[in-house]
């Protein structure tokens, strides 16, 4: 099934289209839908805890076996049921039934906007053994199907809203979404495409390189790359709309992202002997070597920037590089003059002198500075995203 | 789908009715009233299964609850598809819920499984003072439409088990056993491809 997965899951263009429409609809409706729109009684509302159920549902693309996908749905239902049960006990209500359950399931589904919901449900229907899709599993699966059906037919009446109010809400949700990413449609297509193959990073390798399963572990894994693209898509889009130039920083961040996922990071840096060195460890003899190394790297970087076409997108780091080079130059002299000076002092001095230099020189490139900062911000965003991803 | 095998009958039973008519309470009374400790359902709430022994057979009910709100009405066919029995519940203190019950009956007659055993249950029969729907009115409606009717009370348990027993008795017994034992190979290539599955 793992090998067949791409051919049997979300392979029909029609299904992909429905997936996109459904996902877009949920993305819009989730902006304004309230529990009361779905007849969820106040005593049973617990939006924070419903996040748990949403998480279960969002896991659906992390597995490939029909059973596992079904289990994701059942787990989601289980969480909802437990919450309803507790709420009923706490408020001395009648025990919850379908009147309470289905609305919450629909609400949770809209908020979770699980990837490729339609394809996933079809897939379970088609490939889960019929004799196993019975009783309780069948019941909750039917609930999920009816939730999908309800969502795809959602309109003003279904949410007890005015036609005009509903339209207004949909429009403002659309505006909000397009504000978040300039190219929403493109993005959704991108996500759907890459979300399909992305599910389980470990299982992914054999699919991408069915013949090179062994290699898969050695080569830089492909899935993280696609994943990075998905994760980054909204950010880069935004970035592009501001700068109009695909900058080096994009590449840089992408690389950083990939680097974070690599386990043998230290091995990569073996080429650069000073990467893990402390200032205190350096000897005078090494300064020359260090400087040469530095210059080489700066040169490589500038060549790379030029080769990318367009202006050097991080002139600031370029400037810094020059600053540093000068600082180091100075230091070679300083150090040669006073070998006896304490290492700690030298360290301090180097910091202060570089700071002075930066402060003395006015910023030569205003735009560059902006670029630098924005790319920095982006890096932070990406890092937090990565952290989130790993925490999940 | 009622299927027999050595007099064991599996029957899917669907509960329909307006919100607040007491569908869940009714089924809870039935399921828990008999075996307080025993509950086969693991996820709980809206799905239950309960086994009943009637004269000649054992009936295992799989009870599917449905959401009664009007906005979810159009989803009901997904639930009653393939059901062997249905209980349509209304609240005797609420005329609107009775009207809603009639709608369900019509819909099931039009679209449901033709062999479906249907029961009309007037719930909350303990609240006699607040009664809005007379027993006679419901009884005559039931007779006209070929259902059986009972007034129940989930609160006092009156008639609750009786409804389920009556359904169990009325479930069609004579069914050609489709799979006597082992596998029967049939010349139905189209169907075979449809149900082919692996790794599941």
């Amino acid at each position: 099934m793992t090998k067949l997965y791409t051919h049997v899951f979300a392979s029909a263009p029609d299904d992909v289209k429905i997936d996109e429409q459904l996902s877009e609809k949920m993305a819009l409706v989730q902006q304004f839908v309230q529990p009361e729109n779905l007849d969820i009684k106040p005593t049973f509302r617990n939006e924070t805890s419903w996040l748990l159920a949403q998480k279960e549902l969002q896991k659906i693309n992390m597995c490939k076996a029909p059973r596992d996908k079904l289990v994701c749905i059942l787990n989601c239902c289980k969480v909802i049921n437990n919450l309803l049960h507790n709420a009923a006990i706490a408020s001395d209500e009648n025990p919850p039934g379908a009147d309470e359950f289905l609305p919450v399931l629909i609400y949770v589904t809209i908020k979770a906007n699980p990837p490729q919901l339609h394809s996933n449900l079809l897939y379970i229907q088609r490939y889960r053994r019929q004799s196993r899709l019975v009783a309780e599993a069948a019941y909750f699966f039917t609930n999920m199907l009816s939730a999908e059906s309800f969502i795809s037919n959602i309109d003003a009446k279904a949410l007890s809203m005015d036609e005009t109010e509903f339209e207004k809400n949909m429009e403002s949700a659309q505006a909000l979404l397009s504000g978040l990413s300039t190219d929403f449609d493109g993005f959704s297509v991108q996500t759907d495409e890459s979300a399909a193959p992305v599910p389980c990073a470990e299982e992914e390798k054999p699919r991408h390189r069915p013949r090179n399963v062994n290699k898969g572990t050695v080569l830089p894994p492909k899935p993280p790359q696609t994943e990075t693209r998905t994760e980054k898509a909204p950010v880069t889009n935004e970035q592009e709309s501001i700068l109009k130039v695909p900058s080096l920083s994009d590449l840089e961040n992408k690389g950083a992202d990939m680097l974070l996922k690599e386990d043998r990071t230290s091995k990569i840096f073996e080429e650069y002997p000073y990467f893990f060195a402390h200032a205190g460890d350096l000897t005078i003899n090494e300064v020359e070597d260090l400087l040469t190394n530095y210059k080489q790297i700066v040169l490589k970087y500038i060549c790379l920037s030029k080769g990318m076409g367009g202006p050097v997108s991080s002139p600031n780091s370029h400037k810094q590089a020059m600053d540093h080079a000068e600082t180091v130059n100075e230091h070679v002299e300083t150090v040669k003059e006073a070998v006896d000076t304490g290492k700690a002092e030298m360290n301090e001095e180097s910091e202060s002198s570089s700071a002075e230099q930066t402060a003395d020189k006015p910023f030569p490139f205003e735009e560059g500075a902006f670029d630098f900062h924005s790319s920095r911000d982006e890096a932070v965003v990406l890092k937090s995203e990565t952290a989130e991803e790993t925490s999940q | 789908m009622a299927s027999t095998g050595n007099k064991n009958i599996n029957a899917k039973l669907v509960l329909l009715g307006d919100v607040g008519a007491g569908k869940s309470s009714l089924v809870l009374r039935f399921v828990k009233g008999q075996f307080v400790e025993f509950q086969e359902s693991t996820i709980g709430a809206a799905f239950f299964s309960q086994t009943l022994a009637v004269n000649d057979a054992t009936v295992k009910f799989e009870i599917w609850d449905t959401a009664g709100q009007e906005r979810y009405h159009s989803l009901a066919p997904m639930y009653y598809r393939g059901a062997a029995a249905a209980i349509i519940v209304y609240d005797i203190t609420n005329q609107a819920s009775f009207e809603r019950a009639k709608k369900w009956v019509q819909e099931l007659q039009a679209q449901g499984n033709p062999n479906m055993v249907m029961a009309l249950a007037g719930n909350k029969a303990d609240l006699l003072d607040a009664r809005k729907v007379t027993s006679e009115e419901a009884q005559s409606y039931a007779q006209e439409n070929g259902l059986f009717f009972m007034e129940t009370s989930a609160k006092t348990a009156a008639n609750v088990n009786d409804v389920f027993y009556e359904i169990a008795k009325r479930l069609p017994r004579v069914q050609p056993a489709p799979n006597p034992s082992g596998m029967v190979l049939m010349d139905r290539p189209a169907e075979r491809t449809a149900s082919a599955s692996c790794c599941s």
Side-chain angles (χ1 to χ4, degrees), chain A residues 1 37-39 66 81 95 97-99 102-103 106 127-129 135-136 138-140 142-143 145-146 149-150 158-160, chain B residues 19-20 23-24 28 41-47 62 64-69 71-72 75 78-79 196-200:
Chain A
M1 207 70 209
N37 295 133
L38 298 169
D39 286 324
N81 265 321
D99 289 345
L102 183 65
I106 291 174
Y127 300 109
R128 180 66 179 149
R129 185 173 280 279
E136 197 164 24
Y139 177 73
F140 286 106
T142 303
N143 271 287
L145 285 178
S146 65
S149 153
F150 182 84
L159 296 176
S160 310
Chain B
V19 61
K23 299 184 295 292
S24 321
L28 269 176
S41 147
T42 48
I43 299 180
F47 176 88
E62 285 176 0
W64 291 37
D65 195 0
T66 61
Q69 293 92 332
R71 69 176 90 243
Y72 304 119
L75 305 174
M78 293 177 150
Y79 293 84
S197 61
C198 64
C199 320
S200 53

Side-chain angles (χ1 to χ4, degrees), chain A residues 61 116 187-199 204 207-208 223 225-227 229-231 233:
Chain A
N61 254 4
Q116 297 168 289
F187 167 48
S188 78
V189 173
Q190 214 178 14
T191 342
D192 283 336
E193 272 170 6
S194 46
V198 166
E204 206 53 23
R207 205 185 57 73
H208 275 289
Q225 211 173 339
T226 23
E227 219 160 36
R229 191 164 61 95
T230 328
E231 290 285 318

Side-chain angles (χ1 to χ4, degrees), chain A residues 64-170:
Chain A
K64 288 177 183 162
R67 175 187 171 273
D68 295 346
K69 285 184 185 287
L70 185 62
V71 164
C72 292
I73 293 174
L74 296 185
N75 282 341
C76 169
C77 294
K78 202 180 270 184
V79 172
I80 294 174
N81 265 321
N82 286 341
L83 293 171
L84 288 176
H85 216 80
N86 292 341
I89 291 168
S91 60
D92 234 2
E93 280 263 349
N94 280 333
D99 289 345
E100 286 77 32
F101 174 77
L102 183 65
V104 176
L105 181 66
I106 291 174
Y107 187 82
V108 162
T109 310
I110 292 175
K111 288 285 180 182
N113 196 350
Q116 297 168 289
L117 182 63
H118 176 74
S119 293
N120 272 306
L121 295 180
L122 265 184
Y123 180 77
I124 295 171
Q125 254 177 331
R126 285 174 183 157
Y127 300 109
R128 180 66 179 149
R129 185 173 280 279
Q130 287 305 307
S131 61
R132 298 301 180 95
L133 194 55
V134 289
E136 197 164 24
Y139 177 73
F140 286 106
F141 184 65
T142 303
N143 271 287
M144 199 67 230
L145 285 178
S146 65
E148 186 215 355
S149 153
F150 182 84
I151 293 168
S152 62
N153 295 320
I154 234 169
D155 57 11
K157 196 172 153 240
L159 296 176
S160 310
M161 277 182 181
D162 270 356
E163 200 74 50
T164 45
E165 193 189 353
F166 181 76
E167 291 298 326
K168 215 179 74 194
N169 280 329
M170 286 296 262

